[in-house]
Amino acid sequence: MPKSSVFSSKALHGFKQFVRSEASRFLALALFLVAVFYIIPICISVYMSFTPLRNWNIDRYAGIFVGLENYYRFFYLLANDPSVKSVFLTTAVFVALTLAVNVLGGLSLAIATFFVNERAAGGLQLLWLLPRMTPIAVYSLIWYYFFHPSSIGTINGILYKLGLISKPIDIGQGIIPWGAWAIIVFVNGLVGVSYGMIVFTSAINNIPKELVIAARVDGASNWDITRKILVPMLRWHILYVTTWQLLSLLTTYDHLFLLVKWGLVNRDYGTTWSLYIYNTAFLTGLQDQGLAAAAGVILVIVSSILGFITLKLMGFDKLIKPPRGDL
Amino acid sequence: MVSVKLVNVTKVFRGGVVGVKDINLVIEHGEFMALLGPSGSGKSTTLYLIAGIYKPTRGRIFFGDKDVTKLPPRERNVGLVFQNWALYPHMKVFDNIAFPLRLRKIPESEIRKRVVSVARMLRIDGLLDRYPWQLSGGQQQRVAMARALAKEPDVLLLDEPMSNLDAVLRISVRAELKRLQRELGITTIYVTHDQAEALAMADRIALINEGSIVQIGTPSEVYGKPRTVFVGGFLGNPPMNFLEATVGYVEDKPILVIGNNKLRVPDHYEELVRKLGLNQVIVGIRPEDMGIMDKPVPYRTIRAQVYAVEPMGRETIVVAEVDGSQVKIVTSKSIVLREDQDIHLYPSFEKIVLFDPKTEKALEVLYEEEKLE
Ligand SMILES: Nc1ncnc2c1ncn2[C@@H]1O[C@H](COP(=O)(O)OP(=O)(O)O)[C@@H](O)[C@H]1O
Ligand SMILES: [Mg+2]
């Protein structure tokens, strides 16, 4: 059979032209980067999850195939090991609450700024960028001292001075689980607020000011304007920030790593899924890369599903408007 | 009865930008007032002051006898229509129109009745189920009008509501809006930079320039008797012609010297020119108040050269040069003229307006003001 009957020569010609074009070079670079930094690591993880790899002994284990064993182990631990159970409970609570703080906090700040005197609020908004700009170690250290379970801890110092407590309380280790959760939500919530705030602020600034003036003339209060005009018009941005933050919260562990390592929060109730993967793969004594890879693969699947659901729930498909009606 | 009164209203924005200064304006109950001026002259600022969106830096605003200076917008019961119509993009037409009513907690059945009746009046009752982006410009403009009228406002404020419509549509909406305003008898302030719109629709026109009101009057007053060079030059298409003239005296009678032309001073200005003792004046003549002759008449015609002829169908615009400056003449006659041909312009003397070159005010205005001092 001649080749031209499979690929029409016209299509082939078009393809050849595309390969030679500037655009293909540009696209090739992007594809290359995606492959190097995303696809290849995922493939390696998936592969590793089917091997009994441990202690990074690649020569010895990487060639052995154990089927779904790592996955069985993962679900077995999830069902039976209390500390793994607590990790997943913590992940759910941490992601849900921090997400709420991130999105609602960012939205409230952006809207408050909109209603308040612009200049003063501009400075205030910059303040919220500080957690983002501060190096992770320094930022974590600040909150380490803030919540420290001794009289040098800021909170304890204040409560003691006010005479509300007689001896320092250990919030992160003593009040389980909510004390530990409160700290990790607080610290990460603060980091994420600036992101939503910036997205929402720029979106609000793009809303024609006449819409708000019209509503005011019609008798709308700030609350009415927020509820009936700003929030509906920011729908797409809220959807975007929510999805984005959800996915990054599922995978973030840098602050948590330090807070747990320094002993400020309880290990079981300060560890989330992604930190658990890190610990399982790298922490001395565990070093079970096969199990970690399986947990990682499941995290990718769960993130994808959750991301898809949020987009669906918030009506991503409706964003693509039907064509303009005939006039 | 709602009249609107602005007394010495000044608005200075943060940063010192003066929006309007010392505005005094009365709009009678049921009157259609046009606020006319170039872009940036303070028209929208005035409107927003009346609506209560801006608070005046100085001065007071009254609705009838009631001082509303300090009242928030919601307690003023005004309807406002914007240049971009400001329809809420996420609401259907029905909900857009119902929005002000819902804020007033009116029962939903009553809201439905009112929305439908105002939509019917504006002939958009077939569109209630659409989103704003599914409408044409003209339809969006009607929806904006409907939203402003649905709440039965005491005062209707329109901020260049037609400048986003194409020229043909604008002319038909113009008549419709004027008719609607008459029927509803609602006190209306219409902001525009389009002099034709203001002349066509308004009972009275307030001309505003650089934040100050320069003249208030009926369309024929502001058109025929401009108080300043600005008003003469802003109204009319083509606008008023201005010629610089020196004042001379022949046998003790004042005459106007424009280049090599000598022109008698119009009767109604003779005494004023004498009293004010001016050496220089600006002669303002409307393009339609000049005839074209082929022979000069002493003291009555100005010599000119044809620069270009623009036949416009119903009328012809002749552009001519007088002593180095251009003037336009609108004539209904179809005359045959060559370029560079010598012609003689015969102004209607009773329509001429003379201005003082220094203050750019009409001589009668200058005289009044000097008398007051
Ligand atoms: N909110 C504001 N802050 C500062 N300056 C303003 C504001 N609104 C208008 N101005 C200024 O006031 C002047 C009048 O503006 P405006 O009333 O919008 O003019 P118009 O509607 O006649 O085009 C302009 O110089 C404009 O730049
Ligand atoms: Mg304006």
Side-chain angles (χ1 to χ4, degrees), chain B residues 40 43-45 83 159-160 191:
Chain B
K43 305 182 297 291
S44 299
T45 305
Q83 175 173 353
D159 192 355
E160 313 208 16
V191 160

Side-chain angles (χ1 to χ4, degrees), chain A residues 119 213 218 228 324 327, chain B residues 14 53 90 134-135 151:
Chain A
R119 265 176 268 173
I213 295 177
D218 288 343
K228 294 182 177 149
R324 204 160 177 264
L327 303 170
Chain B
R14 224 174 10 205
I53 291 153
H90 56 287
Q134 294 171 310
L135 304 178
K151 61 185 205 181

Side-chain angles (χ1 to χ4, degrees), chain B residues 66-120:
Chain B
K66 191 167 153 205
D67 185 344
V68 298
T69 313
K70 296 215 162 66
L71 287 190
R74 118 177 65 97
E75 287 168 43
R76 299 193 187 194
N77 197 25
V78 300
L80 186 50
V81 176
F82 296 90
Q83 175 173 353
N84 62 6
W85 308 312
L87 300 179
Y88 307 117
H90 56 287
M91 294 182 200
K92 290 190 170 164
V93 168
F94 183 94
D95 299 311
N96 261 286
I97 301 174
F99 187 79
L101 304 178
R102 292 210 170 112
L103 286 172
R104 290 183 183 182
K105 308 270 187 293
I106 293 171
E108 197 64 22
S109 58
E110 168 73 17
I111 290 179
R112 174 153 289 277
K113 239 187 287 169
R114 277 220 227 167
V115 171
V116 169
S117 94
V118 74
R120 203 166 284 152

Side-chain angles (χ1 to χ4, degrees), chain A residues 35-50 71 293 297 300:
Chain A
V36 167
F37 293 108
Y38 193 73
I39 312 260
I40 294 178
I42 285 189
C43 291
I44 293 175
S45 295
V46 172
Y47 177 79
M48 268 163 52
S49 71
F50 293 109
Y71 292 90
V297 169
V300 169

Side-chain angles (χ1 to χ4, degrees), chain A residues 2 115 135 202 232 239 259 324:
Chain A
F115 285 123
S202 88
L239 154 76
L259 296 181
R324 204 160 177 264

